[in-house]
């Protein structure tokens, strides 16, 4: 009778641990909750062993001097193992449920990454990096992890293709600019050459002018043409700077 009573006392303490583990499992919203449930189950399994391991030193002392060896009866042990397995199953069930929720959440994020990859490579890569970091906080099973990683890899490759396509478009556009600016500079040089020729003709006209008024008019033409040459050369210098800047970017 004493042995049965001692076993009952120990069983009640262990059953309380198992009950707490079960409730932690059922209400778990994160992996830390499940770890707490597992910790309580581990403590319960340790306490089910013969003796007072896992209990406080005070409990072990008083139970020992009272003659209790800390052994559970077979009935109590079987009962506790049954409850322990129920709690263990609840932990596993909740872990699978959380994994599925996390998986669906991550799939939504990876789908967003895939959509961005086709239109904005920079934003897609930024979102992919965020998803990779976020995934570490969302426990899933190995198959789910593999699927999410595959989708993120696919999104990254797609963003790379988009970035390459955009780069080629930019490169082609810049090369067109360089060609157009170069042609414009050449055209401007031709204009300058004609203006210089006209200036020479005007200078000859000025030298042979029959009146001071006509000479002054010719000098006005010369100054006007010199002003046009200065403006055109400033334009060509600006165009040359643009061409050099683009060439540096193109490498």
């Amino acid at each position: 009778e004493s042995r049965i009573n001692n076993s009952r006392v120990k069983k009640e303490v262990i059953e309380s641990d198992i009950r707490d583990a079960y409730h932690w499992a059922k209400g778990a919203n994160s992996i830390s909750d499940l770890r707490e449930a597992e910790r309580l189950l581990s403590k319960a399994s340790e306490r089910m062993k013969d003796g007072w391991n896992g209990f406080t030193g005070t409990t072990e002392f008083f139970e020992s001097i009272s003659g209790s060896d800390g052994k559970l009866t077979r009935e109590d042990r079987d009962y506790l193992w049954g409850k322990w397995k129920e709690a263990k199953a609840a932990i596993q069930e909740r872990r699978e449920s959380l994994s599925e929720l996390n998986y669906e959440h991550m799939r939504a994020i990876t789908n967003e990454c895939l959509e961005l990859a086709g239109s904005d490579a920079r934003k897609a890569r930024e979102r992919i990096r965020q998803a990779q970091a976020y995934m570490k906080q969302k426990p899933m099973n190995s198959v789910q992890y593999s699927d999410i990683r595959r989708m993120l890899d696919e999104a990254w490759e797609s963003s790379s293709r988009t970035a390459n396509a955009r780069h080629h478009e930019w490169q082609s556009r810049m090369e067109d600019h360089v060609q157009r600016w170069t042609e414009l500079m050449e055209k401007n040089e031709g204009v300058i050459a004609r203006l210089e020729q006209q200036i020479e003709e005007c200078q000859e006209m000025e030298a042979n002018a029959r009146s001071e008024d006509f000479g002054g008019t010719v000098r006005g033409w010369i100054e006007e043409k010199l002003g046009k040459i200065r403006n055109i050369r400033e334009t060509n210098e600006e165009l040359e700077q643009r061409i050099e800047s683009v060439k540096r970017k193109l490498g």
Side-chain angles (χ1 to χ4, degrees), residues 17-173:
D17 290 336
I18 296 173
R19 190 184 304 111
D20 288 345
Y22 182 85
H23 291 315
W24 270 102
K26 281 295 186 179
N29 291 314
S30 66
I31 193 65
S32 60
D33 291 343
L34 293 178
R35 286 179 182 145
E36 177 61 18
E38 289 176 332
R39 185 190 68 80
L40 290 167
L41 274 191
S42 177
K43 183 171 75 170
S45 61
E46 181 67 23
R47 286 179 167 184
M48 276 191 274
K49 297 176 181 179
D50 291 345
W52 294 98
N53 289 333
F55 291 84
T56 65
T58 303
T59 299
E60 183 178 6
F61 174 74
F62 282 109
E63 292 296 337
S64 297
I65 63 175
S66 67
S68 173
D69 55 9
K71 289 184 178 180
L72 293 167
T73 63
R74 182 172 181 176
E75 290 78 7
D76 288 343
R77 188 181 300 278
D78 290 345
Y79 173 82
L80 290 172
W81 273 120
K83 292 295 183 181
W84 191 93
K85 290 176 181 177
E86 287 180 13
K88 187 69 173 178
I91 292 174
Q92 183 60 29
E93 179 183 350
R94 187 56 182 164
R95 176 176 281 108
E96 291 174 358
S97 177
L98 287 176
S99 293
E100 188 62 28
L101 289 173
N102 291 336
Y103 176 62
E104 291 302 324
H105 188 193
M106 288 305 305
R107 274 184 64 87
I109 293 175
T110 51
N111 284 330
E112 178 188 348
C113 293
L114 284 166
E115 290 177 4
L116 277 174
S119 59
D120 193 325
R122 184 185 61 80
K123 286 185 178 180
R125 290 181 176 183
E126 181 181 349
R127 191 72 176 106
I128 290 168
R129 292 189 185 97
Q130 291 173 349
Q132 289 171 334
Y134 188 56
M135 185 169 62
K136 297 176 182 179
Q137 306 170 21
K138 296 294 179 181
M140 294 175 284
N141 62 44
S142 58
V143 174
Q144 292 167 338
Y145 268 121
S146 296
D147 193 42
I148 295 300
R149 279 195 294 266
R150 177 189 59 77
M151 292 177 69
L152 290 176
D153 288 344
E154 182 181 340
W156 187 270
E157 290 172 4
S158 177
S159 70
S160 297
R161 290 192 295 270
T162 299
N164 290 335
R166 292 294 173 84
H167 177 73
H168 289 318
E169 290 176 5
W170 172 84
Q171 187 176 29
S172 177
R173 189 166 60 253

Side-chain angles (χ1 to χ4, degrees), residues 5-21:
N5 287 334
N6 290 335
S7 177
R8 177 180 55 78
V9 171
K10 186 175 182 180
K11 184 194 79 170
E12 288 175 354
V13 176
I14 297 171
E15 186 177 7
S16 177
D17 290 336
I18 296 173
R19 190 184 304 111
D20 288 345

